[in-house]
Amino acid sequence: MASSKFTPDQLAKAYKTACMAELQALKPGNVHAFADGHGMTIEDFIKSADVTAEIVARADMSVGERIYYAVEATRQAVGQNTNLGMLLLCVPIIDAALHMNGEKTLADCLGDTLAKLNIEDARMAAKAILRANPAGLGQASQHDVHDEPHVTLLELMQSAQDRDRIAWQYAHAFEDVMQFGTARYADAMRKWNNPAWSATALYLAFLTRYPDSHVLRKYGAAAAQALMEEAGEIEHLHCNSDNPKLVQKKLIDWDASLKQRGINPGTSADLTVAAILVSYLS
């Protein structure tokens, strides 16, 4: 793991590069370079990355402030939620990278970042979530984001971990991203040396690993489970191909089918961006 301290400019650039890499990947059900979807265009996502890059890397702001102001900038730029989950994941990673030195790894610093999150971070993040208004947000019996938080952002996320995979990352030191995701991306890069196909492999791996939270909230457990099973077949074809170009038509057909059904595995896409970001910072 790299031990040099990154500058905010370097981190803003790494974040934008990770966002662009994820958009170049054919991610069935999601917005990507091959197809728009769900009332959103690839331009919306490019613009969102552009207007948030400097904010997420600001060393003079807290984690909660960066999440909130990045969501606000996105709303002003594209008028809808394109990146809430991505911001909730990437901001703590970038905060950790800002505190790296010769003594500590990115994982060490991420642990420090999560431990120092406070009630104000929870307040700002809750405000960001309400501003973004993600599909299927609903109500929670404990620590609902509609209420004024009286716990830290880490505690808020811990209380939501069973129903949201992004919250689960906070409760488990970003395990899916830092361990599973980066390893899967590295394996794919070794196999094909192609960032776009490797990002597709990473996205499909997340899709088959657990029920996508976004789909779960919107359509329920049965639909999320069915999606995992469909994804498993596609992942097998993609990952066992020496030339993923040969699987491209299957991916595009499945993409069209998912979009026709209104299924957008947004959480898996968010985790993909975060894992690519960590891979760059490593």
Side-chain angles (χ1 to χ4, degrees):
M1 192 72 75
S3 59
S4 60
K5 188 170 178 180
F6 295 96
T7 66
D9 284 349
Q10 287 171 325
L11 290 168
K13 189 179 175 186
Y15 164 81
K16 263 177 81 165
T17 306
C19 291
M20 293 304 114
E22 183 258 355
L23 287 174
Q24 293 310 309
L26 207 174
K27 303 182 314 298
N30 205 247
V31 174
H32 48 78
F34 295 81
D36 298 331
H38 313 291
M40 296 177 282
T41 66
I42 190 167
E43 285 77 18
D44 291 331
F45 284 82
I46 293 168
K47 207 180 280 184
S48 301
D50 284 343
V51 300
T52 56
E54 190 193 338
I55 298 168
V56 298
R58 283 189 61 169
D60 61 339
M61 280 186 182
S62 68
V63 167
E65 285 172 331
R66 279 178 262 171
I67 292 167
Y68 174 74
Y69 288 113
V71 164
E72 187 57 48
T74 302
R75 272 282 172 189
Q76 299 293 336
V78 301
Q80 59 183 328
N81 170 32
T82 51
N83 57 8
L84 173 65
M86 194 190 301
L87 292 168
L88 288 168
L89 291 169
C90 290
V91 170
I93 292 166
I94 290 168
D95 185 81
L98 277 167
H99 293 92
M100 275 178 74
N101 54 43
E103 303 300 309
K104 289 191 167 188
T105 65
L106 183 61
D108 292 335
C109 292
L110 182 57
D112 294 343
T113 288
L114 296 174
K116 75 180 183 191
L117 293 172
N118 58 31
I119 293 173
E120 184 60 16
D121 289 312
R123 197 178 70 78
M124 294 302 279
K127 207 169 138 184
I129 292 165
L130 294 175
R131 184 77 175 102
N133 193 25
L137 179 59
Q139 306 280 140
S141 56
Q142 187 188 24
H143 306 317
D144 192 294
V145 292
H146 295 89
D147 304 327
E148 183 74 19
H150 297 290
V151 293
T152 70
L153 179 53
L154 179 58
E155 290 168 319
L156 188 70
M157 291 297 193
Q158 284 168 336
S159 73
Q161 64 175 302
D162 292 337
R163 62 181 184 275
D164 184 87
R165 199 70 190 182
I166 289 171
W168 190 95
Q169 303 312 315
Y170 279 73
H172 296 85
F174 282 48
E175 190 181 301
D176 288 337
V177 173
M178 303 293 288
Q179 295 175 38
F180 175 79
T182 53
R184 188 69 201 85
Y185 187 68
D187 287 346
M189 282 295 285
R190 272 192 294 274
K191 180 167 183 171
W192 300 310
N193 194 29
N194 180 304
W197 289 123
S198 299
T200 298
L202 175 58
Y203 172 76
L204 292 171
F206 279 132
L207 266 183
T208 57
R209 185 164 163 80
Y210 54 78
D212 186 276
S213 300
H214 188 260
V215 175
L216 197 59
R217 277 196 301 271
K218 208 171 172 190
Y219 294 109
Q225 186 61 41
L227 176 66
M228 280 176 77
E229 286 161 21
E230 286 179 54
E233 290 176 34
I234 300 283
E235 187 203 20
H236 182 76
L237 287 173
H238 180 76
C239 293
N240 287 296
S241 174
D242 289 330
N243 180 6
K245 193 87 179 161
L246 300 174
V247 187
Q248 184 170 307
K249 186 177 184 311
K250 261 202 181 325
L251 288 164
I252 287 172
D253 289 348
W254 191 43
D255 179 55
S257 164
L258 290 173
K259 284 169 179 167
Q260 202 174 7
R261 289 178 269 161
I263 293 173
N264 177 10
T267 304
S268 300
D270 295 333
L271 288 162
T272 298
V273 176
I276 293 171
L277 175 62
V278 171
S279 297
Y280 288 161
L281 298 179
S282 303

